[in-house]
Amino acid sequence: MTTNVERSTDDDVVAIPLRHPWRWVAAAAVIVVLGLLLNSLWNNENIAKQYIWQFIFDPRILKGVWITLLVTIISMVIATILAIILAIMRMSSNPVLRGVSFLYIWFFRGTPLLVQIVFWGYLGLLYKQISLGVPLTDFHIFAVDTNTLIPAFVGGVIALSLNEAAYAAEIVRAGLLSIDHGQREAAYSLGMGPGYTLRRIILPQSMKVIIPPMGNETISMLKNTSLLAVVAVPELYTASSQISSGNLRQVELLIVASLWYLFITSVLSVPQFYLERYYARGNSRELPPTPFQQLKRAVARMRGRADNRRIAAQAHEEAGA
Amino acid sequence: MSENELMVDARGVRKWFGSNEVLKSISLTIPRGEVLSLLGPSGSGKSTFLRCINHLESIDGGRIYVDDELIGYKQRGDKIHEMKPREIAKQRRKIGMVFQRFNLFPHMTALGNIIDAPIGVNGESKAEATAHARELLERVGLADKADAYPAQLSGGQQQRVAIARALAMKPKLMLFDEPTSALDPELVGDVLDVMRDLAKSGMTMIVVTHEIGFSREVADRMVFMDGGVVVEAGAPRDVLDNPQHPRTQAFLESVL
Ligand SMILES: Nc1ncnc2c1ncn2[C@@H]1O[C@H](COP(=O)(O)OP(=O)(O)O)[C@@H](O)[C@H]1O
Ligand SMILES: [Mg+2]
């Protein structure tokens, strides 16, 4: 028998972490390219930076930000509710409901969003009044002028939500289809009805499939609100272009608007993260850490490394002494 | 035997899937408190028959009565009408079912799985349902797992939660469709223990299983199915040790 290197089994594993040199190389390359790009913008004679600072917190811009955010959230909420209804109709055994849902999705996906927005803006030309009464007679319980009932803001929200619902319906449908058939059977065998089963068992589980693409849709929605400029809703883009048509600082105000769009996009990803986390419960043995927890762990890791280094240095010293 | 001593009365049940006749006039009666073991090769229609009993599948012929109620249909004169989903749901409340693949709700804890239907369907108060659920968890040996999600439980533990979940509705009849077939061998025993206790407590049970030892010990009667018909029925000892029909003999030789 040859004498082997001694194999100890009761030591702790004190492994030196794997190094990742290419990460640093890639990071360096990205920083250089980004730096060059930003430098060329920053030092561009044709961009007057002081206008960006001047207008980024201008009351008109802030109001635009607020309206953009409001339109985005209201439209997404309405669209999601409609989408769930459409998806359920699409999967129903009733052929009329299936057909209606199919036609809806076909129509609203098949025509440009811009056209739909302008259409709702022009509804007042098509129907002067909207009234409740007996059809085909002159008897009205009430009647209102279309343009008072549907101001630009409401028309814009209607256009955006009806259009978004058509896309979201397919996302919801995919989510519902992703749930194992055994879930429905177990629910039915417990005496749950179809509606209760959908609400308590199927939809909550579908959420983990539905939410990530709906996050995407929300960001699209945010940017699509800028199309409401054509019907003069004073949202962010309208506000910035109104200002720039006065002072002719188009590029600067586009930068202002873009910075705000980027900021809102980032802010919106926070609720998405927590929603995903909430609906992931039970699906894995451990929930993904919140950013706060991640930070705490990173700090702990760095401390740990520093400790290791200190311990190693100490051991080295002791060995030398 | 008078009618109301029967928990299940299946008369000439027929079921087609497309052009495939899966149940060919099955007639079976199960007295209250009996444990019936259903045996047969894969594809013989055992699961389909169980699923017809709680109307997860509709039937194409015959009648099924559970606890003196016609399942899934209403008889008016000599005509038969389909039931509304709500009425079918109501009938299912007294029939518990345990599936091969557990089918626990993964987004709810063990306790949540058990109390959801009693609260949402039976209208029990949360306190009442929770107290009952904890008793049931105790009974299946999982009192400490109330707050665990299904993904954190072993297969055997999941199946015991599934049994507790079905029992929480206080069913009069329990259907088991191969409850231990998806389990690692060392986990089978715990689940069978729970089922044995349940049988002792007087529950009427139909158990599809290949656990011959369990059937021999616990079942009052054994039915052998093949190709959508009942081939042989009798006391487990007789069917297992002295099968009359060649198809039963061939099947038992292949599994024993
Ligand atoms: N939903 C279904 N659609 C079509 N055929 C089915 C369906 N469920 C079961 N079958 C068929 O019915 C037969 C009996 O199946 P099953 O009741 O699952 O048998 P067992 O449980 O005894 O293995 C099989 O041939 C199977 O392929
Ligand atoms: Mg089966």
Side-chain angles (χ1 to χ4, degrees):
Chain A
M1 216 177 91
T2 54
T3 50
N4 268 329
V5 179
E6 195 187 329
R7 286 192 185 173
S8 97
T9 50
D10 50 2
D11 276 356
D12 290 342
V13 176
V14 197
I16 295 157
L18 205 57
R19 308 263 166 197
H20 301 283
W22 287 106
R23 284 190 196 166
W24 297 103
V25 174
V30 168
I31 287 170
V32 167
V33 171
L34 215 59
L36 289 174
L37 194 70
L38 283 177
N39 183 51
S40 79
L41 276 174
W42 190 256
N43 296 324
N44 192 318
E45 313 274 282
N46 298 320
I47 298 176
K49 286 186 291 285
Q50 72 273 21
Y51 286 99
I52 299 177
W53 310 137
Q54 182 187 336
F55 285 108
I56 195 144
F57 295 122
D58 185 281
R60 285 164 293 176
I61 292 287
L62 290 183
K63 181 163 176 256
V65 168
W66 171 241
I67 290 176
T68 290
L69 202 59
L70 210 60
V71 170
T72 303
I73 292 171
I74 297 176
S75 303
M76 277 316 284
V77 169
I78 298 175
T80 305
I81 295 168
L82 264 177
I84 293 173
I85 296 170
L86 283 167
I88 293 167
M89 283 168 65
R90 186 82 191 271
M91 294 166 74
S92 125
S93 55
N94 181 333
V96 178
L97 294 183
R98 267 202 321 264
V100 169
S101 172
F102 176 83
L103 280 178
Y104 181 100
I105 294 170
W106 171 78
F107 180 80
F108 282 94
R109 283 201 310 191
T111 53
L113 176 56
L114 187 59
V115 172
Q116 292 172 28
I117 290 170
V118 175
F119 172 84
W120 286 101
Y122 285 149
L123 197 66
L125 297 183
L126 211 55
Y127 300 101
K128 286 259 177 294
Q129 289 196 322
I130 290 177
S131 62
L132 183 67
V134 183
L136 306 177
T137 68
D138 281 339
F139 177 75
H140 296 312
I141 295 169
F142 76 86
V144 272
D145 195 43
T146 304
N147 284 331
T148 10
L149 185 69
I150 309 185
F153 177 87
V154 177
V157 167
I158 292 176
L160 288 172
S161 22
L162 293 190
N163 179 268
E164 176 56 34
Y167 290 92
E170 292 293 278
I171 293 174
V172 173
R173 192 165 71 99
L176 296 178
L177 287 173
S178 74
I179 305 305
D180 179 58
H181 197 66
Q183 291 291 308
R184 190 171 267 116
E185 292 192 339
Y188 286 174
S189 80
L190 288 166
M192 297 177 182
Y196 186 89
T197 302
L198 187 77
R199 220 169 55 245
R200 291 283 305 170
I201 309 300
I202 309 295
L203 260 182
Q205 292 186 58
S206 313
M207 284 303 175
K208 67 173 191 292
V209 176
I210 293 174
I211 288 170
M214 284 303 275
N216 259 340
E217 293 296 307
T218 308
I219 290 169
S220 300
M221 175 68 83
L222 172 71
K223 293 176 294 186
N224 284 342
T225 56
S226 63
L227 293 174
L228 297 189
V230 297
V231 287
V233 173
E235 44 69 55
L236 177 54
Y237 176 69
T238 311
S240 74
S241 51
Q242 273 169 357
I243 296 172
S244 62
S245 66
N247 66 7
L248 299 181
R249 287 290 167 186
Q250 279 87 351
V251 175
E252 289 81 355
L253 277 144
L254 283 179
I255 292 175
V256 166
S258 302
L259 288 173
W260 274 111
Y261 281 119
L262 283 170
F263 175 74
I264 302 172
T265 306
S266 321
V267 169
L268 287 178
S269 64
V270 174
Q272 178 179 352
F273 175 84
Y274 281 95
L275 273 175
E276 277 181 29
R277 208 176 116 85
Y278 176 75
Y279 285 110
R281 74 195 188 285
N283 278 304
S284 52
R285 298 190 177 214
E286 210 181 336
L287 287 174
T290 62
F292 182 66
Q293 287 169 336
Q294 273 176 356
L295 194 70
K296 250 170 54 179
R297 278 181 211 177
V299 169
R301 252 200 319 274
M302 262 145 70
R303 281 232 186 96
R305 258 188 224 158
D307 284 349
N308 278 352
R309 241 175 277 138
R310 215 182 46 240
I311 291 165
Q314 231 165 18
H316 191 76
E317 254 171 47
E318 277 163 16
Chain B
M1 192 177 289
S2 89
E3 178 87 349
N4 57 17
E5 282 175 359
L6 294 180
M7 180 58 79
V8 181
D9 184 2
R11 303 181 186 168
V13 176
R14 276 178 289 130
K15 173 72 187 171
W16 296 76
F17 282 119
S19 60
N20 179 14
E21 189 174 15
V22 176
L23 299 179
K24 302 169 180 163
S25 191
I26 301 270
S27 291
L28 265 183
T29 57
I30 298 149
R32 290 171 195 273
E34 185 178 82
V35 177
L36 181 89
S37 158
L38 205 54
L39 198 67
S42 174
S44 57
K46 306 180 298 292
S47 298
T48 306
F49 180 61
L50 282 196
R51 294 156 54 79
C52 288
I53 292 177
N54 66 359
H55 207 67
L56 284 178
E57 301 284 358
S58 59
I59 58 180
D60 299 312
R63 304 276 189 277
I64 298 177
Y65 296 87
V66 173
D67 199 23
D68 299 325
E69 250 187 89
L70 179 60
I71 294 295
Y73 304 91
K74 269 183 296 200
Q75 181 118 27
R76 291 210 197 97
D78 55 355
K79 288 234 170 58
I80 280 262
H81 298 262
E82 278 185 15
M83 263 186 184
K84 294 197 188 96
R86 206 152 40 84
E87 298 169 306
I88 296 171
K90 200 163 171 224
Q91 288 190 327
R92 290 191 183 119
R93 282 169 214 171
K94 56 182 174 189
I95 308 172
M97 188 163 197
V98 175
F99 301 86
Q100 184 174 352
R101 287 184 306 127
F102 329 135
N103 296 346
L104 288 181
F105 306 132
H107 59 307
M108 298 178 181
T109 60
L111 188 74
N113 266 275
I114 300 174
I115 63 175
D116 196 82
I119 294 173
V121 172
N122 275 356
E124 287 180 29
S125 73
K126 185 161 186 196
E128 188 187 353
T130 305
H132 187 208
R134 290 201 185 277
E135 253 169 58
L136 288 167
L137 279 172
E138 179 88 52
R139 189 165 156 194
V140 301
L142 293 172
D144 55 332
K145 296 293 184 189
D147 297 322
Y149 284 97
Q152 298 163 330
L153 299 173
S154 75
Q157 292 170 331
Q158 288 188 54
Q159 191 62 299
R160 284 183 280 154
V161 172
I163 294 173
R165 177 177 70 175
L167 292 177
M169 293 296 285
K170 306 186 178 98
K172 295 183 162 182
L173 169 69
M174 285 286 288
L175 310 174
F176 292 87
D177 192 358
E178 304 203 30
T180 57
S181 299
L183 299 180
D184 290 336
E186 76 271 20
L187 302 176
V188 169
D190 291 338
V191 173
L192 293 182
D193 286 344
V194 169
M195 291 168 60
R196 190 179 291 116
D197 286 347
L198 191 59
K200 272 197 203 120
S201 76
M203 177 66 75
T204 314
M205 295 163 55
I206 306 181
V207 185
V208 175
T209 183
H210 298 301
E211 297 289 333
I212 303 288
F214 174 81
S215 298
R216 188 190 288 275
E217 179 200 335
V218 176
D220 301 302
R221 207 151 50 99
M222 181 172 259
V223 167
F224 177 75
M225 266 177 82
D226 193 11
V229 297
V230 172
V231 174
E232 195 165 340
R237 213 178 317 108
D238 298 337
V239 175
L240 291 170
D241 300 338
N242 192 14
Q244 299 300 308
H245 200 284
R247 277 198 278 180
T248 320
Q249 290 163 4
F251 176 73
L252 287 174
E253 265 163 36
S254 72
V255 297
L256 290 178

